[in-house]
Amino acid sequence: MKVIKFIVIMSMAVVMSLLYIAQYILWPEDQYATTTFEIIFEWFSLLWLAGLLPGIIGICGMWYLKSPKKLEDENPIRNFVCFRICTRGSNPKALAKTILRIKKEMAAVPLFPYVVEVVSERGFDFHQHDRLRIIVVPKDYQTPNGSRFKARALHYATFHSPIPDKAWVVHLDEESRPTKSFIRGVTKMIREEDRKEKPSIGQGAILYHRQWRQHPLLTLADNIRTGDDLGRFHIQHKIGITIFGLHGSFIVARNDVEKKLGGFDFGPAGDVTEDAWWALVAMENGYRSCWCEGYLEEQSCQSLLDFMRQRRRWWVGLRLVVMNAPVGLKWRLLLGSQVALWTLAPFALVYSFLHLFFGTFLSESIQFLGNFAYASFVTLYIVGLYVNLKEGLDDKDILFKISAYIVQGAMTIIPIFSSIEGLAILWAVFHPSKGFHIIKK
């Protein structure tokens, strides 16, 4: 991971230098706040510090990444593994490709006995065999707490699947594609955790390099998600506490743990982002998380509106979790603080634009901290881009890689991607979603 450390150093240095140069040119250096309006307006510069703590955590997470030791030398384990795919069934082609990919990668690295479980309200024409099981959720099925969406289906599967209690469940979405490193990483984690009285819940990094050329800008926009996995999410799992929640896929947990936690029946307050709610319930009950090596491949949104709807649902769901999860205050405050900082991000962006026209010269400390926060944000994109290019494209695509770095840098420094993310959060704040929007992929 020495390359990632180098990228972090260079990205932070280059971006901060560019920010200082732009500010030297654009800011009125000899104009200080004197009027009441200017003084009040200057205080709003503290909004820039909203990204400082997440930025520092992200940089630390990337800095302490380590190459998995001898991951390719993993030996087979006897533990039974269930790849559980929860889907509405609206995209059977994507689902079929995921099932075939699992079969292909497991044939290449047969490290454990497994089954693929597809959980849906509808049946499929797939040929069922000993490696594939379709669990159909009855249309009239209701959980005791009235959970909807994915949580309802997961709850049904938890208590109706015939897999043993000591089997391990790997949660996937219908477009999730495992890699060989993913299978090896899951093997390594299960070997280490299965012997514990309370085995940890694992999660790793997700890539979004599919369909680069069909949807180049939205794929670049999702590089921050890979960067965030290797940054903030990596360090939280190293600590063992899900401060930022969990993703809905690439969750690795033992079956009896899911049953002991009561499944996924969280009611309407918890079924929008059921993964984050479940993570806090697990923490409250003494379970911890761990980092799972390897990469899982997924797919970016195919439209700008879906991209924004996805972010809006995350914000609305996390707010409901913070307000309603039946856990201790410390767990809700940890997640709530991050949601609050995320909420301030678009307002900080608006202030940045206004400052170009109405701003005065700021203190050097605020300027430095604000620049550091924004540079760390850009660095997440660059590291995410590097890993996605490294894992997803042939080394011969040199021109494409160079152009991707140029466009990624321009979009994030200008900043276009952060504006889109910010607009999605503003949309969530002032017009929250009331359902579970399914993203077309």
Side-chain angles (χ1 to χ4, degrees):
M1 295 296 178
K2 292 181 179 179
V3 176
I4 290 182
K5 287 185 172 65
F6 175 77
I7 292 173
V8 169
I9 294 172
M10 291 302 298
S11 176
M12 292 295 293
V14 170
V15 175
M16 288 191 71
S17 298
L18 290 174
L19 288 172
Y20 271 110
I21 292 171
Q23 289 159 1
Y24 177 79
I25 296 171
L26 297 173
W27 286 7
E29 189 172 349
D30 58 346
Q31 181 181 338
Y32 292 86
T34 55
T35 68
T36 302
F37 171 80
E38 289 175 342
I39 293 173
I40 294 174
F41 189 76
E42 184 175 328
W43 273 99
F44 277 98
S45 64
L46 295 176
L47 285 169
W48 287 337
L49 304 187
L52 186 60
L53 180 59
I56 292 174
I57 295 173
I59 293 298
C60 290
M62 290 183 288
W63 189 259
Y64 287 105
L65 274 171
K66 294 181 180 179
S67 298
K69 295 180 179 179
K70 299 182 178 179
L71 193 59
E72 294 186 357
D73 297 333
E74 279 296 318
N75 295 315
I77 57 176
R78 295 181 179 180
N79 305 78
F80 190 77
V81 175
C82 171
F83 293 97
R84 183 167 290 165
I85 307 170
C86 191
T87 173
R88 277 194 176 181
S90 57
N91 194 348
K93 289 184 179 180
L95 176 59
K97 289 180 180 178
T98 295
I99 295 171
L100 289 174
R101 178 67 174 269
I102 294 172
K103 184 178 179 180
K104 175 185 175 182
E105 299 297 349
M106 285 301 303
V109 281
L111 294 177
F112 45 74
Y114 76 97
V115 67
V116 178
E117 279 188 353
V118 177
V119 185
S120 178
E121 281 191 352
R122 54 164 291 183
F124 296 93
D125 296 330
F126 306 143
H127 173 64
Q128 294 199 48
H129 46 81
D130 59 348
R131 298 288 192 187
L132 176 63
R133 180 184 300 119
I134 309 295
I135 297 180
V136 179
V137 183
K139 291 185 178 180
D140 59 352
Y141 171 72
Q142 293 183 353
T143 67
N145 293 323
S147 295
R148 309 160 295 171
F149 316 132
K150 186 178 179 181
R152 170 178 169 270
L154 286 174
H155 189 73
Y156 182 87
T158 300
F159 296 102
H160 289 81
S161 170
I163 64 172
D165 283 352
K166 296 299 182 181
W168 283 80
V169 181
V170 178
H171 290 273
L172 303 175
D173 289 335
E174 64 180 14
E175 79 281 359
S176 303
R177 310 282 166 82
T179 64
K180 293 178 180 63
S181 68
F182 171 86
I183 293 170
R184 293 183 178 114
V186 168
T187 303
K188 179 175 181 287
M189 181 206 143
I190 292 175
R191 187 194 309 279
E192 294 172 351
E193 295 295 328
D194 194 61
R195 69 190 71 172
K196 297 180 181 178
E197 182 179 351
K198 281 193 169 184
S200 298
I201 298 162
Q203 186 154 83
I206 302 176
L207 306 178
Y208 300 91
H209 55 66
R210 295 213 304 269
Q211 297 192 353
W212 274 103
R213 291 173 173 81
Q214 294 92 325
H215 307 283
L217 294 183
L218 290 177
T219 302
L220 289 173
D222 265 341
N223 280 326
I224 191 173
R225 298 174 67 182
T226 301
D228 217 15
D229 284 347
L230 300 173
R232 293 189 307 151
F233 280 80
H234 168 247
I235 202 167
Q236 78 164 2
H237 294 310
K238 282 296 187 182
I239 296 171
I241 299 175
T242 54
I243 303 169
F244 313 108
L246 287 176
H247 302 308
S249 62
F250 203 158
I251 296 176
V252 186
R254 207 165 67 185
N255 193 34
D256 61 342
V257 172
E258 297 195 1
K259 290 183 176 181
K260 288 176 183 177
L261 292 174
F264 295 84
D265 185 19
F266 308 134
D271 59 15
V272 178
T273 49
E274 80 292 329
D275 39 23
W277 186 292
W278 186 75
L280 291 194
V281 171
M283 297 299 106
E284 177 76 2
N285 284 273
Y287 290 93
R288 293 296 177 259
S289 64
C290 67
W291 180 250
C292 187
E293 306 289 353
Y295 296 110
L296 179 70
E297 296 177 4
E298 289 198 356
Q299 189 169 309
S300 298
C301 299
Q302 296 185 5
S303 72
L304 181 60
L305 185 58
D306 269 355
F307 182 92
M308 296 179 67
R309 282 173 173 165
Q310 183 185 61
R311 269 58 175 179
R312 180 174 69 152
R313 178 177 68 82
W314 292 346
W315 187 91
V316 170
L318 291 175
R319 178 179 62 84
L320 289 171
V321 171
V322 171
M323 294 175 61
N324 300 289
V327 298
L329 183 61
K330 65 177 181 180
W331 302 115
R332 292 193 287 123
L333 284 178
L334 279 173
L335 181 61
S337 64
Q338 302 306 312
V339 176
L341 294 175
W342 189 24
T343 306
L344 291 175
F347 296 98
L349 187 65
V350 170
Y351 176 79
S352 298
F353 287 120
L354 292 175
H355 193 276
L356 293 176
F357 302 99
F358 305 107
T360 57
F361 183 72
L362 298 175
S363 68
E364 293 180 356
S365 58
I366 293 294
Q367 183 182 9
F368 173 80
L369 293 175
N371 287 349
F372 183 92
Y374 193 78
S376 64
F377 176 76
V378 174
T379 300
L380 290 176
Y381 277 102
I382 301 300
V383 170
L385 173 64
Y386 164 74
V387 175
N388 275 285
L389 288 175
K390 179 175 179 291
E391 298 292 326
L393 288 179
D394 190 279
D395 290 338
K396 296 179 181 179
D397 296 326
I398 302 298
L399 291 178
F400 184 87
K401 290 184 177 183
I402 293 173
S403 63
Y405 277 107
I406 293 173
V407 175
Q408 184 83 83
M411 290 291 190
T412 49
I413 294 175
I414 289 179
I416 294 178
F417 288 151
S418 55
S419 298
I420 297 172
E421 295 265 1
L423 287 172
I425 303 308
L426 288 175
W427 189 16
V429 171
F430 294 108
H431 193 270
S433 58
K434 297 181 181 180
F436 192 102
H437 180 73
I438 301 297
I439 304 302
K440 183 180 179 181
K441 295 184 179 180

